[in-house]
Amino acid sequence: MKKLRCAIYTRKSSEDGLEQEFNSLDAQREACAAYITSQKHEGWMLLPEHYDDGGLSGGSLDRPALQRLLQDISDGRVDQIIVYKIDRLTRSLADFSRIVDTLDAAGASFVSVTQSFNTATSMGRLTLNMLLSFAQFEREVTAERIRDKIAASKRRGFWMGGNVPLGYEADGRTLKINAAEVTTVRALYDLYDQHGTVRAVKAAADQRGLQTKLRLKADGKQTGGGAFDRGHIHHILTNPVYAGRIRHKEKVFNGQHEAIIDPDRWDRIQQLLQNGAAKVRARKTAKQRSLLCGKLFDETGDRLTPSHSRTRAGVRLRYYVSHRLIKKSGEVNLDGWRLPARELEVKVADLLRQRLSDMTFTGRLFPKRSAEEIRTHHSILQKLYADKDISHVLDLVARIDLSPGELTITIDSVQLAVTIGVGTDAINPEPQIITAPFQLRKRGVETKLVLADASGGVDEALIRNIAKAHLWFEQIKAGRTLSEIAKAEGTTNGRMYQLINLAFLAPDIIRDVLDGKQPLGFTSDWCVRHTLPVNWQDQRTLIATL
């Protein structure tokens, strides 16, 4: 006959009575041992190990003795679990399913002494699942009944336990004022009335040496008695207990205890706290918005991501940082961009404003419009971008590409059409691009962004070279050769060939140079390296892209 090694498992939910010489665990074990003895003819034998969990709920498998038993089953040292009732093992159908999987894997079974079935048979398993379903139902109904009782008690204003607030002591189902602590609570409310912010209350409380409530834990350890943090102060200022009320979830009811703070005063302070929080959120939103988010890309095509740091004084500094520097943070020898955000936003907005104030540029944006319509569109742009709010200007940016020493802005034609109030078909379909050189300068840990203006200002060298080109051209028309002119001017034939084309510039381009409104890239050096078209319209198109 095969021997069946039987292990008895016992459990009790509460610790009440466990100190007695013969307690509930002993009674369960005695009944299970007697049952095993009655089955001796079937080969059942009792293992000497005790698997007892006292004071632990059956709603979880996190029980030391049960875990030890399941491990012994898995190790092949136990063939059968014997319990007094099935709810001693578990009250959860899901947990029981996991236990059965462990039993099946080890070829073991489960027997209840007072309920005549075992899991070795299909009928036993069916009956067991039905009983466990009712056990779990009973547990959930009990929990709901307890929750309903707590809610009903709080509606009547009773204190239903938990950490006793500073300034009070527990007194049965209510609270009574602690004379030694109540002055601290009132002082915190007075400080908020005086200073108006939790941060200031924290600083003033530290100066006065105000301390948190001393608490004694069940294990004899003492906590509290230290300085208040801002979160603790905010909790005290918003706790309706101090106004003589009891909170239950989202609802607040009149309590049975005495108020420390006058209810009208408490309500007024809540309104001040809410108004202050709303202002802070609005201020943070306005200050922290990254206006070029998702529009900046470096020379590798990597997107620049908004980031920030704080100085020792707590000042928040915003940046645009190459995404790879954030994604691969900590790696050495990693190259990328880190640009001061506000400075970049302001200077890009200035570039756009200056370019959009150029009538020639506006005309190129709307090639199909009449001169009168172009002037109307230009007037709208000038009025709109005179506003100090740069967010409206930066809305026109579709993309900004960075490369060493150069910044390229692509204008969003769709947003521009919306701004002007025209259809997108009225705007030049070719991408409208603004390019400007810039430099990054370091001063200690500070990065200074030096971004040139969209217009170059009055360029004296360019004006002199244009004047020379016109003079040389007049002399050539008078019959002098280039060599004669070069010798007389103290220059070379090559230099004259490079600059003579300036004599054929369109009149409006020359006027812009004299006024200092020429594009930034249009310089004498650029003219030396490039050949100007003879056609004036082609000149305007080429120079406008600089």
Side-chain angles (χ1 to χ4, degrees), residues 409-439:
I409 305 171
T410 302
I411 293 178
D412 188 337
S413 59
V414 175
Q415 183 62 40
L416 182 62
V418 172
T419 302
I420 297 294
V422 298
T424 54
D425 57 338
I427 297 180
N428 191 336
E430 296 181 2
Q432 302 302 312
I433 295 173
I434 301 172
T435 301
F438 74 95
Q439 294 178 337

Side-chain angles (χ1 to χ4, degrees), residues 504-544:
F504 305 104
L505 284 173
D508 56 315
I509 296 177
I510 296 175
R511 183 177 64 250
D512 287 342
V513 172
L514 294 174
D515 294 339
K517 295 181 178 179
Q518 78 282 0
L520 177 69
F522 186 53
T523 63
S524 295
D525 290 338
W526 183 89
C527 295
V528 169
R529 297 192 305 270
H530 298 81
T531 301
L532 281 169
V534 176
N535 183 277
W536 285 352
Q537 185 57 45
D538 292 341
Q539 289 179 7
R540 297 186 185 100
T541 301
L542 175 62
I543 294 174

Side-chain angles (χ1 to χ4, degrees), residues 13 120 264 266 453 491:
S13 297
D264 291 337
W266 188 87
D453 293 336
T491 186

Side-chain angles (χ1 to χ4, degrees), residues 265-286:
R265 182 189 181 195
W266 188 87
D267 290 337
R268 177 177 57 80
I269 287 178
Q270 303 319 297
Q271 189 61 49
L272 292 174
L273 285 166
Q274 291 177 11
N275 293 342
K279 289 179 180 178
V280 170
R281 286 194 298 270
R283 188 165 59 247
K284 285 185 176 180
T285 300

Side-chain angles (χ1 to χ4, degrees), residues 152-166:
S153 298
K154 286 192 172 183
R155 282 197 297 270
R156 295 176 61 187
F158 290 114
W159 170 255
M160 296 304 293
N163 285 333
V164 179
L166 176 72

